[in-house]
Amino acid sequence: MGRIAVLDDNMVNMIAAGEVIERPASVVKELLENSIDAGAGRIVIDVEDGGRRLIRVVDDGGGMAADDLALAFEPHATSKLRTADDLLGIRTMGFRGEALASIGAVAKASVTSRTPDAIGAHRIEIDCGQKGPVVPCAGDTGTTIEVRNLFYKLPARRKFLRTANTEMNHIAEHFTRIALSHESLDLTLTHNNRQAHHLLSGQGLRERIGLLFGPQMADDLLETTRQERGMRLRALLGRPVGARSSGKYQYVFLNRRFIRDRFILHAVKEAYRGLIEPNKYPVVFLFIEMPPEDFDVNVHPTKVEVRFDNPNLVYSEVLALLRDKLLSTNLDVGACLPAPEVFVPSERFGHAESRDRQQRIERAMEDFFKTPQPASTQRSFDFKRSYSAGRSKTPPPHSVSGQTDSFGQSGSALQEDWKPRTYLQVDNSYLVVPDADGFMVIDQHALHERILYEQMCVRLREGRLPSQRLLMPHPFEATPAQADALEKHRDLIEKIGVEIEMFGPNTLAVQAFPMLLERVEPTAFVVELLDKLVEDEGHSNEERLLHEILDMAACKAAVKAGQPLSEAEIAHLLANKDVVQRTSRCPHGRPTTLVFSRKDLDKQFKRTGF
Ligand code: ADP
Ligand code: MG
């Protein structure tokens, strides 16, 4: 092999750029952080073609003097660190001195800057590492950085960039993170000369969240703070009914820096345990402040990960903050999100909840079998009547038993009320039904879900799901990512019978909705659907995505466990059960039906051999 050579600076920068500058959004993030470090109060970001053609960031911060400008594109040039000790208490967003050097190595860039006491501005240009001279020019106090034709000399990198819309979504995400953690900044973002956001300084956090994510989400957040053991915490929390199918709406900031920390997110999840399905993600905006000496941000090139000196303390403080708030709030009242639709099959509950449920079912079963049977049916138990145990309106078995004791007198009157049925509904969740050779226990939700799923598959084979125009469009606030997903997957969305149109800036509206999903609230469903498509980002093939959506739709449209059913509904379920019995699994892989044959019963009662 050849000899070892020391790489020249430009090569070093290009390699560093690979770590720091992944896509246009990384440029925006680094430039925004620099403007914040320079003490800016107002920042304007202009983007063209998703950042491929141009990214321009203009700030009114402290600027750079001419001699500093000459150094700005040098690797490891920073004004924010001097000694190794400084690394122990970072108070600025940047400190590595890598960003401008990296950007200058992979694009055509210019910096124009002026300090408050200078008589004019200065400007320097760089073109993929080729630096020009510092020249005087006109300009206001502050700094303007322009980055053009990112990666234009690196076709392999440029090829990796996605559509302008997708790149813009990534940029908007970084913009959002900065906006949420810097309430006092006046921030503007434009794309192709159209304004995407303008956030005024002095807006409250809730108002900002409303502008960025829609007023529905903002109005419904619970707010809480805590100051304990050297940490200051503030959180705005979504109610459990508003939990999402992805972690996209979980924002954690440490000293105003957006971080991803699995441990903290676990604490969040833990706080919501038992309140939401385990595969859902609560909406949360969490702000942590602590002395910079108590953690290390120098562990990741983009500083999105940090290392806490005492992670357990952080975990327990976050958990305490959230849990106290959730426990002290009546979560059923005041929710302005669509009607709660939390369906939670027992095994998806937290432990405490499922134990409670289990006990209720056991009690219901016990009560049922304790009930004295009228003389005629005492010998062979024959399902000729059903008792809905638990909280249903049907009289509970023991109150019936007092009257059946005087069988003969009041018995006949009672018979009329009873409307004999050939099944038993347990705890409004399970149906017990006799069959030729024993009986079966049906999970009403799982069976209904399965029936709907099959029905949708059948209809889809014939074309698209039949849909119904809504009397009035149902508008909802949409993020650019959601609008993007709509464009990209329009065929798929129309196939399942959903029609969505633009309704205004940042607003979409559901116009038509599948008939089979009549129980489902259209906007909540559509928002979740779009989130799912955003999250997927082209990883699954269309067919698989379609079936995942059918899954989700069936689960939402199906009757819930614990939901009282009318006789007609039960009859409908039982009539359709054979359709799906070939495969007695609900789409989530849970069984829909347990079968107890005479033989099984004999075996359980140790009668085998008799
Ligand atoms: P870092 O932010 O880690 O110091 P950068 O490469 O991002 O490294 O920036 C290098 C230096 O350029 C900064 O330390 C700062 O002194 C100067 N600088 C960059 N952007 C600005 C700006 N918008 N306003 C004033 N100074 C800036
Ligand atoms: Mg920087």
Side-chain angles (χ1 to χ4, degrees):
M1 285 299 262
R3 294 169 40 219
I4 294 177
V6 175
L7 298 174
D8 68 25
D9 278 354
N10 197 37
M11 282 295 287
V12 171
N13 292 341
M14 278 173 65
I15 291 167
E19 282 183 21
V20 187
I21 307 301
E22 192 198 343
R23 59 189 340 151
S26 338
V27 174
V28 172
K29 169 184 182 283
E30 293 295 334
L31 298 184
L32 279 175
E33 292 188 352
N34 281 346
S35 297
I36 290 168
D37 284 344
R42 180 159 191 275
I43 307 177
V44 179
I45 307 129
D46 297 310
V47 178
E48 287 176 18
D49 189 22
R52 233 181 297 233
R53 190 160 57 233
L54 171 73
I55 296 166
R56 183 194 302 118
V57 174
V58 183
D59 71 46
D60 62 355
M64 281 174 270
D67 50 345
D68 277 343
L69 261 189
L71 286 175
F73 287 116
E74 293 296 315
H76 314 296
T78 178
S79 56
K80 301 166 193 175
L81 278 187
R82 284 291 177 268
T83 68
D85 279 354
D86 294 344
L87 263 181
L88 302 178
I90 304 275
R91 287 177 165 76
T92 47
M93 304 287 280
F95 58 87
R96 295 163 65 111
E98 277 178 341
L100 288 188
S102 299
I103 293 167
V106 296
K108 189 169 157 58
S110 73
V111 183
T112 309
S113 196
R114 175 176 169 179
T115 57
D117 47 1
I119 42 167
H122 284 85
R123 175 184 169 90
I124 182 170
E125 289 184 4
I126 188 166
D127 187 356
C128 288
Q130 299 297 315
K131 231 165 58 166
V134 176
V135 293
C137 64
D140 295 332
T141 300
T143 303
T144 296
I145 303 193
E146 289 188 344
V147 179
R148 291 179 190 274
N149 304 339
L150 185 67
F151 299 143
Y152 80 102
K153 282 194 182 164
L154 299 164
R157 297 291 303 278
R158 201 163 163 96
K159 213 174 65 197
F160 262 100
L161 299 182
R162 309 274 300 273
T163 63
N165 262 346
T166 302
E167 294 302 336
M168 195 56 204
N169 289 338
H170 287 282
I171 290 172
E173 177 61 25
H174 283 289
F175 177 88
T176 297
R177 293 174 185 176
I178 294 288
L180 290 172
S181 52
H182 295 81
E183 283 170 54
S184 61
L185 277 183
D186 185 304
L187 286 166
T188 308
L189 176 65
T190 73
H191 187 211
N192 298 335
N193 297 317
R194 275 183 42 207
Q195 183 171 298
H197 287 291
H198 183 191
L199 304 173
L200 303 171
S201 74
Q203 268 164 349
L205 179 58
R206 198 182 282 268
E207 195 180 343
R208 268 202 177 179
I209 292 174
L211 289 167
L212 293 163
F213 301 103
Q216 279 171 342
M217 182 194 282
D219 293 347
D220 212 34
L221 295 168
L222 310 167
E223 184 160 4
T224 176
T225 57
R226 179 181 175 97
Q227 188 157 4
E228 202 92 32
R229 307 184 61 187
M231 296 173 64
R232 277 225 310 265
L233 301 177
R234 177 186 187 195
L236 276 79
L237 302 176
R239 290 169 189 270
V241 290
R244 302 302 178 108
S245 54
S246 86
K248 222 176 130 335
Y249 303 99
Q250 299 193 319
Y251 287 88
V252 179
F253 300 92
L254 175 61
N255 292 0
R256 299 173 165 215
R257 192 192 294 285
F258 175 87
I259 58 164
R260 276 252 167 262
D261 187 284
R262 284 178 46 210
F263 210 44
I264 292 177
L265 293 178
H266 190 272
V268 171
K269 185 172 181 183
E270 193 61 26
Y272 278 81
R273 191 192 179 95
L275 297 172
I276 58 175
E277 294 173 57
N279 57 352
K280 288 267 167 126
Y281 300 80
V283 172
V284 61
F285 301 91
L286 175 64
F287 302 84
I288 304 172
E289 277 177 41
M290 61 197 291
E293 291 77 14
D294 291 352
F295 61 92
D296 184 1
V297 286
N298 194 21
V299 293
H300 190 274
T302 66
K303 312 174 198 94
V304 70
E305 282 167 28
V306 299
R307 201 174 288 132
F308 291 103
D309 292 355
N310 188 349
N312 291 329
L313 174 69
V314 179
Y315 185 94
S316 59
E317 286 300 311
V318 169
L319 181 58
L321 170 81
L322 271 56
R323 190 167 268 174
D324 286 356
K325 186 63 191 178
L326 291 169
L327 287 178
S328 64
T329 307
N330 181 350
L331 294 167
D332 289 329
V333 179
C336 61
L337 281 164
E341 256 203 69
V342 253
F343 154 63
V344 193
S346 54
E347 69 204 41
R348 295 197 215 165
F349 269 109
H351 290 318
E353 196 74 23
S354 66
R355 220 180 305 120
D356 178 50
R357 190 176 184 78
Q358 182 70 33
Q359 279 169 3
R360 276 194 288 139
I361 293 169
E362 278 166 15
R363 236 177 294 129
M365 282 297 223
E366 238 169 67
D367 286 349
F368 179 84
F369 287 107
K370 266 199 302 217
T371 312
Q373 303 299 319
S376 61
T377 57
Q378 225 153 27
R379 290 227 321 274
S380 72
F381 176 65
D382 72 355
F383 289 96
K384 273 284 148 49
R385 65 175 63 99
S386 97
Y387 303 115
S388 286
R391 288 164 302 175
S392 89
K393 292 175 205 94
T394 334
H398 31 268
S399 72
V400 173
S401 69
Q403 296 170 28
T404 43
D405 275 350
S406 51
F407 181 73
Q409 302 277 316
S410 52
S412 59
L414 256 160
Q415 290 290 345
E416 278 165 26
D417 281 359
W418 276 8
K419 292 200 186 122
R421 289 171 284 181
T422 52
Y423 56 82
L424 157 74
Q425 197 189 12
V426 181
D427 206 28
N428 288 323
S429 298
Y430 297 101
L431 300 170
V432 182
V433 188
D435 69 359
D437 178 42
F439 67 95
M440 55 186 130
V441 183
I442 293 170
D443 178 326
Q444 68 185 36
H445 170 77
L447 177 62
H448 193 204
E449 185 178 38
R450 182 75 209 180
I451 291 172
L452 287 170
Y453 182 82
E454 291 288 331
Q455 285 176 338
M456 288 191 285
C457 287
V458 169
R459 298 279 158 80
L460 274 174
R461 259 175 251 139
E462 296 159 1
R464 42 178 278 183
L465 290 189
S467 75
Q468 199 165 22
R469 279 203 90 68
L470 299 172
L471 280 178
M472 296 213 287
H474 288 218
F476 61 98
E477 212 86 18
T479 63
Q482 289 169 337
D484 204 27
L486 169 64
E487 279 318 308
K488 210 167 116 208
H489 297 282
R490 206 171 258 288
D491 288 351
L492 180 71
I493 291 170
E494 282 177 4
K495 207 166 169 173
I496 59 169
V498 175
E499 279 172 37
I500 309 169
E501 301 297 340
M502 282 301 280
F503 202 68
N506 306 330
T507 309
L508 300 174
V510 190
Q511 307 276 8
F513 203 64
M515 270 157 12
L516 277 170
L517 304 185
E518 59 184 4
R519 286 165 182 274
V520 180
E521 205 285 311
T523 49
F525 176 80
V526 166
V527 167
E528 200 169 330
L529 170 67
L530 293 177
D531 280 350
K532 193 175 189 66
L533 296 172
V534 170
E535 192 193 356
D536 186 75
E537 268 210 347
H539 294 311
S540 317
N541 66 34
E542 191 98 320
E543 183 71 15
R544 204 176 112 203
L545 209 51
L546 178 65
H547 283 274
E548 275 178 25
I549 292 166
L550 295 187
D551 244 28
M552 182 177 107
C555 182
K556 291 196 162 297
V559 298
K560 311 297 181 236
Q563 180 177 332
L565 298 182
S566 70
E567 283 196 43
E569 286 169 319
I570 292 179
H572 172 82
L573 272 184
L574 297 182
N576 281 286
K577 80 179 188 317
D578 297 333
V579 179
V580 301
Q581 232 154 36
R582 291 165 279 119
T583 53
S584 72
R585 304 237 143 218
C586 88
H588 296 293
R590 295 198 299 111
T592 61
T593 308
L594 303 176
V595 178
F596 295 85
S597 68
R598 167 73 207 248
K599 225 161 107 204
D600 293 334
L601 293 172
D602 284 350
K603 217 154 103 199
Q604 291 293 321
F605 286 110
K606 315 251 180 273
R607 271 178 172 275
T608 7
F610 278 87

